[in-house]
């Protein structure tokens, strides 16, 4: 690898004093740090340091236009506008894959491979396949000439695609220059460009704010972003590229000896792509056909934990030497197959629509559906969001509609399939709150109940407070909240912490075990970080990210309560709307009364401790996570250890100091043992986190 580490302090002089060599060193340094960040997931410098260096690069490039290198990281911010997309002929064509959805079909595929290759049945359990995610994005072909990215194009019809090089160059983890010293004369790398769920949600929120058309799913958002004329737009969208195959290689004399030709698909993923500077998906598996079937089930379970949408796995014969003998059908290669997850959409009848009052008073239409199985889950209800959405979908009661489940979210009605002209009934917006019957107020596209004592609002905010998005009180589920509210045992969230044996005695359906569990779960949540507490209040427009920001900027609830709207607005990332929500919430007498009563109950909010970077407790540690974590998502776990000073890695390396394993952990456990790396179960990990974040002052 040629990525050499260059320290930021080397560039402390004024940009006018820079030599061409200095400029080239900045390019190399930024490439190195960008690679650590985007490809290895192990940033070596802070964002601020990176930005500083980046600004320097731009200054020098402005002064010396003629120095700009074809692989300068400045190309990542885009700027090039292309009015027309030229056609690009793919050589060889970009084929598609045959699809299966059942395990029996996977076995049939295995049988066909054996038959075609005339292999002996006795090798059936040792024959290796490679499984990798089937990314749901836009297929891309990248062409590198002598190591420099010269073209990026869409798959198109497989033979001919569109030249979108200007946009491709802005994708964060696509190297503009390959990391090997003697690159082939020509190398084409194929893969998929995808958008994270997080980026997709943020993008749609932004589009909604600007009253623009929303994207239906991350795939469309990725494709739409890459087909823009102005590459600044693609640059602003959080896109990632995952390579999955090599299209073509033309070696020159010096390259041939440097980059040995991979013999297996596993080698392509594990050695070849990373050596070139590409990030590969860690969700891969080599094994016999039964291992692959197990892997499919595991990935299907883990699907909702992934940052990206995948719609199945691609199973490939691992030994590349056999691909040619397996041949191709008219459309597909016979060495690979796409094993797809069951559909996550289904068609059913819209039986009725009811209206539900949420914690902020917004009244949401809910579709009642004829029960239907969507990707293994029976769906009876789906969200219709608001009246404008109903108009947009043009659905009526009695129509046949398509329902989808995307990620872990509540199912939603996606489209109208068939309108029942004879019997369909119009969906009418209610005038009064379905819960408290007060007159509703129309606010933009929303209907809102403004009665703060409305049962619907109160129960919904209590449910939210105790839910996974709030304090996560395990033994206090939504049904119990409703029951306890109706029995007048709880009215506000502070009352939850005043519940005791006596209050919970004599309640229908509550036995001794349940009561003890509930009281234990509640008392376990008596010490909560400021961030979690803010999040659990369910303040309008204040979710996880804003709560995190608040906790970063304030030490106590008292400080927050005495903050003005303008001061909230001054926090980076907090705009006037959120500032107003925060201010109004913390200046409402009733809210303050409830918070004060809560603090009197023995409930404590742990103040965030400001630590200097050098004395963070996990400094020097490199954590790797494997298997399914049940208590928290992997990216949350990574964030938490990073906050405590540790770095994280995707795979076990010589730098790894600790492996945290969840359920169904795979080969990393063995690797960690072999390398004598400390291992920790999820439970031990949580204990460690609790220990490290303990001993802090209470507000
Ligand atoms: S291999 C000849 N591997 O699926 C084999 N394709 O239906 C070429 N895809 O257009 C494809 N993830 O865009 C391969 N790990 C993966 C993939 C993958 C997603 C897409 C690809 C292709 C389509 C084939």
């Amino acid at each position: 690898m040629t990525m050499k580490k260059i320290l930021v302090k080397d560039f402390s002089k004024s940009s006018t004093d820079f030599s061409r060599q200095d400029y080239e060193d900045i390019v190399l340094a930024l490439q190195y740090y960008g690679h650590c960040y985007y490809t290895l997931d192990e940033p070596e410098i802070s964002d601020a340091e990176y930005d500083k260096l980046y600004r320097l690069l731009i200054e020098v490039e402005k002064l010396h236009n003629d120095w700009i290198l074809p692989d300068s990281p400045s190309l990542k911010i885009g700027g090039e506008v292309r009015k027309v997309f030229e056609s690009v002929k793919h050589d060889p064509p970009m084929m598609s894959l045959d699809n299966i959805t059942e395990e029996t079909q996977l076995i049939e595929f295995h049988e066909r491979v054996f038959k075609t290759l005339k292999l002996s049945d006795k090798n059936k359990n040792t024959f290796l396949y490679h499984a990798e995610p089937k990314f749901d994005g836009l297929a891309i072909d990248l062409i590198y000439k002598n190591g420099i990215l010269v073209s990026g194009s869409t798959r198109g019809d497989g033979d001919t695609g569109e030249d979108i090089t200007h946009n491709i160059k802005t994708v964060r983890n696509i190297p503009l220059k390959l990391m090997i010293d003697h690159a082939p004369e020509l190398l084409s790398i194929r893969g998929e460009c995808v958008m994270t769920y997080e980026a997709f949600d943020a993008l749609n929120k932004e589009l909604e704010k600007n009253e623009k058309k929303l994207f239906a799913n991350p795939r469309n958002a990725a494709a739409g972003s890459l087909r823009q004329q102005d590459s600044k737009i693609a640059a602003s969208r959080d896109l990632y590229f995952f390579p999955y195959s090599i299209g073509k290689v033309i070696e020159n004399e010096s390259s041939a000896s440097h980059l040995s030709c991979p013999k297996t698909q596993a080698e392509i993923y594990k050695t070849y792509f990373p050596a070139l500077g590409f990030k590969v998906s860690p969700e891969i598996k080599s094994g016999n056909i039964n291992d692959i079937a197990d892997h499919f089930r595991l990935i299907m379970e883990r699907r909702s934990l992934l940052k990206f949408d995948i719609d199945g796995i691609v199973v490939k014969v691992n030994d590349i030497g056999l691909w040619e003998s397996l041949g191709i059908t008219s459309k597909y290669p016979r060495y690979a197959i796409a094993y797809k997850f069951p559909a996550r959409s289904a068609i059913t009848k819209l039986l009725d629509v009811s209206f539900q009052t949420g914690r902020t008073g917004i009244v949401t239409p809910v579709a009642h559906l004829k029960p239907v199985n969507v990707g293994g889950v029976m769906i009876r209800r789906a969200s219709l969001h608001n009246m404008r959405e109903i108009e947009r979908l043009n659905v009526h009661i009695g129509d046949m509609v398509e329902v989808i489940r995307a990620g872990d979210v509540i199912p939603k009605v996606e489209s109208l399939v068939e309108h029942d002209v004879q019997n369909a009934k119009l969906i009418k917006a209610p005038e009064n709150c379905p819960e408290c019957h007060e007159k509703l107020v129309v606010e933009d596209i929303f209907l809102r109940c403004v009665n703060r004592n409305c049962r619907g609002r109160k129960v919904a905010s209590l449910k939210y407070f105790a839910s996974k998005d709030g304090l996560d009180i395990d033994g206090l589920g939504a049904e119990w909240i409703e029951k306890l509210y109706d029995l007048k045992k709880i009215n506000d969230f502070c009352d939850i912490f005043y519940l005791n044996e006596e209050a919970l005695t004599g309640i229908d359906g509550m036995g001794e075990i349940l009561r003890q569990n509930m009281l234990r779960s509640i008392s376990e949540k008596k010490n909560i970080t400021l961030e979690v507490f803010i999040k659990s209040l369910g303040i309008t427009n204040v979710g996880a990210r804003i709560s995190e920001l608040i906790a970063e900027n304030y030490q106590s609830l008292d400080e927050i309560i005495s903050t003005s709207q303008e001061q909230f607005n001054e926090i980076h990332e907090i705009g006037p709307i959120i500032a107003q929500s925060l201010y109004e919430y913390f200046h409402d007498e009733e809210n303050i009364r409830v918070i004060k009563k809560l603090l009197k109950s023995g409930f404590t909010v742990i103040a965030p401790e400001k630590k200097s970077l050098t004395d963070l407790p996990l400094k020097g540690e490199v954590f790797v996570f494997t298997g399914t974590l049940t208590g928290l998502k992997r990216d949350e776990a990574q964030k938490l250890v990073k906050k405590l000073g540790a770095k994280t890695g995707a795979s076990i390396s010589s730098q790894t100091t600790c492996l945290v394993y969840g359920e169904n952990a795979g080969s990393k456990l063995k690797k960690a043992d072999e390398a004598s790396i400390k291992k920790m179960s999820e439970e031990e990990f949580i204990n460690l986190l609790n220990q490290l974040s303990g001993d802090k002052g209470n507000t």
Side-chain angles (χ1 to χ4, degrees):
M1 283 195 227
T2 52
M3 283 281 148
K4 75 175 182 231
K5 182 168 175 161
I6 297 163
L7 294 175
V8 184
K9 64 176 186 292
D10 291 348
F11 307 111
S12 50
K13 58 189 169 192
S14 155
S15 57
T16 43
D17 299 335
F18 274 69
S19 67
R20 182 165 184 142
Q21 185 56 50
D22 290 332
Y23 166 71
E24 286 178 12
D25 284 346
I26 305 176
V27 170
L28 278 178
L30 282 167
Q31 278 171 347
Y32 172 77
Y33 293 125
H35 178 73
C36 294
Y37 188 91
Y38 292 111
T39 307
L40 305 179
D41 261 345
E42 286 174 13
E44 287 223 348
I45 56 173
S46 69
D47 290 1
E49 282 171 308
Y50 183 92
D51 291 346
K52 196 169 149 205
L53 194 56
Y54 190 84
R55 281 196 298 274
L56 192 58
L57 173 88
I58 303 293
E59 273 175 42
V60 180
E61 288 192 346
K62 266 194 195 141
L63 290 170
H64 305 280
N65 239 312
D66 52 324
W67 288 358
I68 302 178
L69 290 169
D71 56 338
S72 163
S74 63
L75 294 168
K76 291 267 172 220
I77 57 161
E80 192 183 338
V81 178
R82 292 195 180 180
K83 290 265 182 259
V84 274
F85 302 147
E86 303 286 335
S87 296
V88 179
K89 188 126 182 88
H90 299 306
D91 174 26
M94 293 177 77
M95 278 185 289
S96 80
L97 295 168
D98 200 1
N99 287 328
I100 55 166
T101 50
E102 304 289 334
E103 195 168 320
T104 47
Q105 294 171 304
L106 180 72
I107 304 299
E108 281 163 24
F109 165 72
H110 180 46
E111 307 269 341
R112 266 199 313 276
V113 166
F114 261 63
K115 206 167 147 206
T116 317
L117 292 174
K118 300 194 176 68
L119 295 173
S120 151
D121 273 2
K122 69 176 195 290
N123 296 327
K124 271 200 170 148
N125 282 331
T126 50
F127 189 82
L128 292 185
Y129 291 94
H130 188 259
E132 49 207 66
K134 184 170 187 322
F135 289 104
D136 202 8
L138 188 68
I140 299 291
D141 183 38
L142 304 175
I143 307 265
Y144 288 89
K145 283 195 178 152
N146 298 311
I148 301 287
L149 177 70
V150 294
S151 155
S153 55
T154 63
R155 175 175 177 273
D157 63 5
D159 281 319
T160 312
E162 283 177 330
D163 184 350
I164 50 162
T165 313
H166 63 307
N167 289 328
I168 286 296
K169 281 187 178 164
T170 69
V171 176
R172 308 284 184 282
N173 68 342
I174 291 185
L176 298 171
K177 183 179 175 196
L178 297 176
M179 274 173 55
I180 40 168
D181 277 334
H182 300 274
E185 194 176 314
L186 184 139
L187 177 63
S188 113
I189 299 291
R190 286 162 182 189
E192 201 96 347
C193 257
V194 293
M195 186 181 275
T196 57
Y197 288 120
E198 205 180 327
F200 166 70
D201 289 339
L203 172 61
N204 264 355
K205 267 199 193 128
E206 187 65 28
L207 293 172
E208 191 169 12
K209 217 165 73 190
N210 299 324
E211 301 198 350
K212 299 238 173 75
K213 197 168 173 278
L214 308 191
F215 287 110
N217 50 47
R219 172 172 25 90
N220 291 3
S225 304
L226 287 169
R227 296 198 69 268
Q228 295 284 335
Q229 294 183 343
D230 181 353
S231 61
K232 276 223 158 60
I233 299 181
S236 73
R237 310 256 168 103
D238 214 1
L239 296 165
Y240 285 84
F241 175 81
F242 287 103
Y244 51 66
S245 71
I246 305 166
K248 186 174 186 155
V249 195
I250 302 177
E251 302 280 9
N252 56 34
E253 262 170 37
S254 66
S255 71
S257 55
H258 283 81
L259 196 66
S260 61
C261 190
K263 295 194 172 46
T264 64
Q265 180 69 8
E267 203 184 320
I268 293 189
Y269 262 72
K270 293 209 173 107
T271 331
Y272 191 84
F273 286 148
L276 297 175
F278 286 100
K279 181 189 179 76
V280 290
S281 161
E283 320 290 333
I284 50 171
K285 169 94 194 163
S286 339
N288 70 17
I289 201 73
N290 298 324
D291 297 328
I292 301 297
D294 289 344
H295 179 71
F296 176 79
R297 281 187 286 270
L298 178 73
I299 292 288
M300 186 153 59
E301 270 174 33
R302 299 208 46 217
R303 182 180 186 187
S304 59
L305 299 174
L306 301 179
K307 281 185 176 174
F308 308 98
D309 201 10
I310 65 172
D311 56 353
I313 62 171
V314 178
V315 183
K316 297 174 181 169
V317 169
N318 193 37
D319 184 345
I320 298 171
L322 301 173
W323 290 4
E324 212 179 309
S325 347
L326 279 160
I328 50 171
T329 68
S330 57
K331 280 198 258 169
Y332 317 118
R334 285 210 195 86
Y335 68 81
I337 199 137
Y339 186 6
K340 295 192 41 167
F341 297 139
R344 289 208 288 192
S345 85
I347 293 167
T348 189
K349 188 169 179 167
L350 177 59
L351 299 176
D352 199 2
V353 173
S354 67
F355 288 84
Q356 228 171 47
T357 310
R359 64 176 202 274
T360 58
I362 305 257
V363 176
T364 317
V366 179
H368 296 235
L369 306 159
K370 184 164 177 237
V372 63
N373 188 323
V374 186
V377 180
M378 277 312 254
I379 303 295
R380 292 179 171 79
R381 300 239 193 294
S383 172
L384 276 162
H385 301 292
N386 52 57
M387 289 312 289
R388 192 187 287 175
E389 176 73 354
I390 292 176
E391 263 171 49
R392 187 186 73 81
L393 293 166
N394 194 21
V395 289
H396 296 72
I397 295 166
D399 288 345
M400 294 304 284
V401 293
E402 183 194 12
V403 276
I404 65 159
R405 278 174 55 220
D408 246 352
V409 297
I410 310 156
K412 64 171 199 164
V413 175
E414 176 73 358
S415 62
L416 168 69
V417 177
E418 202 185 321
H419 179 52
D420 184 345
V421 190
Q422 300 270 301
N423 305 310
K425 275 195 336 210
L426 197 71
I427 303 164
K428 278 201 223 116
E431 290 189 354
N432 298 82
C433 172
E435 282 278 350
C436 69
H437 310 292
E438 289 273 324
K439 196 126 188 87
L440 295 177
V441 175
V442 180
E443 281 178 12
D444 189 21
I445 57 170
F446 300 111
L447 294 168
R448 190 193 286 273
C449 168
V450 288
N451 170 16
R452 54 186 311 153
N453 289 316
C454 165
R455 177 188 179 276
R457 285 183 63 168
K458 288 216 134 185
V459 170
S461 64
L462 282 165
K463 281 182 185 170
Y464 184 82
F465 184 72
S467 76
K468 282 224 169 344
D469 289 327
L471 290 197
D472 196 8
I473 307 178
D474 225 9
L476 189 59
E479 280 168 35
W480 275 111
I481 293 269
E482 207 158 329
K483 202 159 180 178
L484 293 175
Y485 181 89
D486 289 337
L487 288 168
K488 301 205 167 25
K489 302 280 181 191
I490 50 174
N491 183 48
D492 290 306
F493 51 71
C494 56
D495 302 332
I496 292 176
F497 288 90
Y498 286 91
L499 286 173
N500 54 26
E501 294 238 6
E502 195 191 329
L504 296 181
T505 304
I507 297 176
D508 215 19
M510 179 162 326
E512 181 59 20
I513 295 178
L514 225 143
R515 182 167 41 245
Q516 293 311 331
N517 274 347
M518 193 180 286
L519 288 171
R520 190 172 0 95
S521 306
I522 294 170
S523 87
E524 275 168 7
K525 299 291 164 155
K526 277 200 157 175
N527 298 302
I528 279 306
T529 60
L530 186 56
E531 178 181 340
V532 172
F533 183 63
I534 301 290
K535 195 169 66 151
S536 64
L537 294 175
I539 306 169
T540 315
N541 302 318
V542 178
R545 174 71 192 134
I546 301 298
S547 307
E548 190 184 7
L549 280 176
I550 295 292
E552 275 169 16
N553 283 277
Y554 297 94
Q555 286 289 293
S556 69
L557 271 171
D558 285 336
E559 255 184 63
I560 298 173
I561 291 169
S562 52
T563 300
S564 71
Q565 193 167 326
E566 293 69 34
Q567 284 166 326
F568 279 130
N569 202 1
E570 275 162 19
I571 299 174
H572 182 59
E573 284 186 53
I574 294 191
I577 295 174
I578 296 171
Q580 187 183 348
S581 289
L582 283 162
Y583 180 79
E584 281 175 2
Y585 190 91
F586 289 109
H587 279 80
D588 178 283
E589 265 177 38
E590 179 57 13
N591 291 342
I592 299 298
R593 182 192 70 77
V594 175
I595 292 178
K596 290 219 164 117
K597 187 169 169 204
L598 182 69
L599 294 175
K600 269 200 206 131
S601 74
F603 180 91
T604 49
V605 178
I606 306 162
E609 200 174 332
K610 298 246 180 292
K611 290 217 165 189
S612 82
L613 229 61
T614 44
D615 62 15
L616 286 172
L618 294 181
K619 190 170 185 289
E621 302 279 337
V622 179
F623 276 72
V624 171
F625 295 86
T626 185
T628 314
L629 301 182
T630 49
L632 72 176
K633 287 193 180 165
R634 187 178 290 193
D635 57 340
E636 284 168 13
Q638 286 171 334
K639 256 197 210 160
L640 287 170
V641 292
K642 278 183 189 162
K643 263 197 178 164
L644 294 166
K647 290 182 182 169
T648 59
S651 54
I652 303 258
S653 73
S654 57
Q655 261 113 56
T656 311
T657 59
C658 182
L659 176 76
V660 178
Y661 58 91
E663 283 172 11
N664 299 319
S667 60
K668 281 188 193 153
L669 270 179
K670 208 169 126 207
K671 266 200 192 160
D673 277 337
E674 284 164 2
S676 305
I677 289 167
K678 183 170 66 194
K679 285 183 308 180
M680 214 180 260
S681 68
E682 184 181 358
E683 198 185 342
E684 290 166 352
F685 173 65
I686 306 261
N687 286 341
L688 174 76
L689 290 182
N690 285 338
Q691 216 180 319
L692 293 178
S693 51
D695 301 322
K696 293 179 185 173
N698 291 340
T699 49

